[in-house]
Structure formats: C-alpha cells, structure tokens
Amino acid sequence: LPPPFVDDWDEWLASGLASPRAIDVDGQGNLYVADQLARAVLKYDRYGRFVGSFLHDQASGKGVAVTPDGLTLYASTKSSSVAIVNVADGSITGYLSGANLVAPGRIDLDAGGYIFVADNGAQQSNVKIFFPNGTFKSAFGGNGTANGQFKSIADLVVNTHTERVFAASNLAELPRLQVFDLSGTYLSSVTNAFLYGTDNHSARGIAFEERADGRAFVLRYLHS
C-alpha cells in the first residue's frame, strides 16, 4: 500500500504493479491497468514502459476501459461510480449518470461507443448500458441462476466483431459463460465444466482475436 503521504504518486506507482485487476488497450497500443491495491489506473506504452497514472486513491481497481482513439478513459471508483477521464490531462470530466450503480466492476465498450458496466450489487447483479455521452440507457441480467441472470459477474467483454456481450459468472452460482446481444437479450451459455473439464473453475479474463471469425481466449480463475 502507498504510504500515508506521497509526494510523487507517479514515482511510487512506477515502481511496479501491486494488484492488477483489469486491463484495456487503445488503438495505439498503450495499456491501461486498474490496480486494486494502488487504487489507481496506470498507463504503459506499447513496450511496457510506465507513462503515468490516473484517479490517485479514487479508483477501485475493478474496471477500466479506454476509447480506441485513446482520448477518454472510464474507470470504476471506490465511491460506487464510473469516472470519465480526459487522458490528455488526467482530469475527471464527469461520471456515468442516470443509473444507481452499487458496485461497478468490469467495463467495456462496443464499436458504437456504448459503455457496458458489470454491477455486482448485494441484491442484484446486472449489466448496465450507457450511451456514449455517459447517460443511462438500459440494463439486463438481475439476481438469480436462470438463463440471463447472475449472482456475481466475474468478467465482462464485448466482441465488437460479432456484436456479442460475454459475461462470466463467479463460483457463487452455476459457473458459466453467458452470451447476449448488444441489447441484452440472452442468446446462449457455456458451462465452466465444458470449458475446463473437472476443474470447473470460474471463467475470468476473456479476449478475442481481431477478426470476425476469431478465437476466444478465456482464463480460468484459481488454476493457472
């Protein structure tokens, strides 16, 4: 953890990642890493060199997304909100609005700039969709184990080529990877037992090849 009084946050953060929880990349190859213990979003260039940081002592470290042009950053905060950050100067230009976010986690964008946020509330876990201007559009999911529902969302990613939303459930419920269209309509699911066999661990960390027929890569939590 950072000391109580830090004169140069960037110098302290440049010493290394403490507990990275979410990552995104812009169109120029710059990396943005949300770190839960550092309570910040760290930026690296395409070669892994530290560039700077955002939201000192405000970020929750649970979610981050950046626009392809690298101009705007979205990050989950400790105050149960999602901050909109100007990457050029690090200033907060606003927050996603119009919805009661309880515990925002993973964030991703579709090709049209709509913002998808996994919200893991105590009574209701769902995915909230926001217009590109940051105002609330709709939500899908809800608390439960039926198709299209969640008790806790471990990861969320939008495949911009196929226009599908993939949401992975935690082990607290039926562990599975569910698929939705961009409006939140449930399409299908794959159980973790099918993905991993008898290990059946939680799916966490999903990425797609940059092609319409590309493969999906899925991490399994707890086992490397």
Side-chain angles (χ1 to χ4, degrees):
L1 291 174
F5 302 100
V6 178
D7 294 327
D8 190 334
W9 269 91
D10 281 351
E11 181 180 348
W12 181 81
L13 292 170
S15 63
L17 292 165
S19 179
R21 288 284 301 273
I23 189 170
D24 202 7
V25 60
D26 65 21
Q28 292 74 49
N30 298 301
L31 302 172
Y32 300 80
V33 184
D35 193 298
Q36 189 171 17
L37 286 181
R39 303 191 297 273
V41 175
L42 284 65
K43 179 181 179 179
Y44 299 85
D45 68 16
R46 63 185 302 131
Y47 304 106
R49 296 175 298 205
F50 179 75
V51 175
S53 59
F54 308 91
L55 297 172
H56 299 158
D57 202 32
Q58 297 181 62
S60 69
K62 296 180 180 180
V64 64
V66 63
T67 54
D69 58 18
L71 298 179
T72 305
L73 185 76
Y74 302 91
S76 303
T77 72
K78 297 190 302 180
S79 60
S80 298
S81 62
V82 173
I84 306 171
V85 179
N86 181 343
V87 174
D89 60 13
S91 64
I92 298 175
T93 60
Y95 295 87
L96 299 185
S97 62
N100 181 29
L101 289 167
V102 179
R106 295 295 196 270
I107 308 168
D108 206 2
L109 311 175
D110 70 7
Y114 287 79
I115 307 135
F116 293 72
V117 180
D119 194 18
N120 286 316
Q123 302 298 323
Q124 179 170 317
S125 291
N126 59 20
V127 177
K128 293 183 170 67
I129 308 173
F130 296 81
F131 290 104
N133 66 5
T135 59
F136 179 66
K137 176 181 181 288
S138 59
F140 64 90
N143 190 48
T145 57
N147 288 338
Q149 295 182 325
F150 312 96
K151 284 188 177 294
S152 181
I153 303 171
D155 203 6
L156 169 77
V157 66
V158 180
N159 186 332
T160 57
H161 293 286
T162 61
E163 299 186 337
R164 295 289 183 265
V165 181
F166 291 74
S169 302
N170 275 316
L171 286 173
E173 59 177 289
L174 173 66
R176 57 188 170 172
L177 181 61
Q178 298 191 80
V179 186
F180 304 83
D181 66 17
L182 294 181
S183 67
T185 300
Y186 169 82
L187 300 176
S188 62
S189 66
V190 180
T191 66
N192 285 12
F194 177 81
L195 286 173
Y196 306 132
T198 56
D199 286 340
N200 195 25
H201 285 284
S202 178
R204 187 169 299 179
I206 311 166
F208 297 92
E209 289 182 317
E210 288 295 321
R211 45 189 289 180
D213 61 347
R215 296 170 295 178
F217 298 85
V218 185
L219 296 178
R220 61 176 170 184
Y221 185 51
L222 299 180
H223 278 227
S224 60

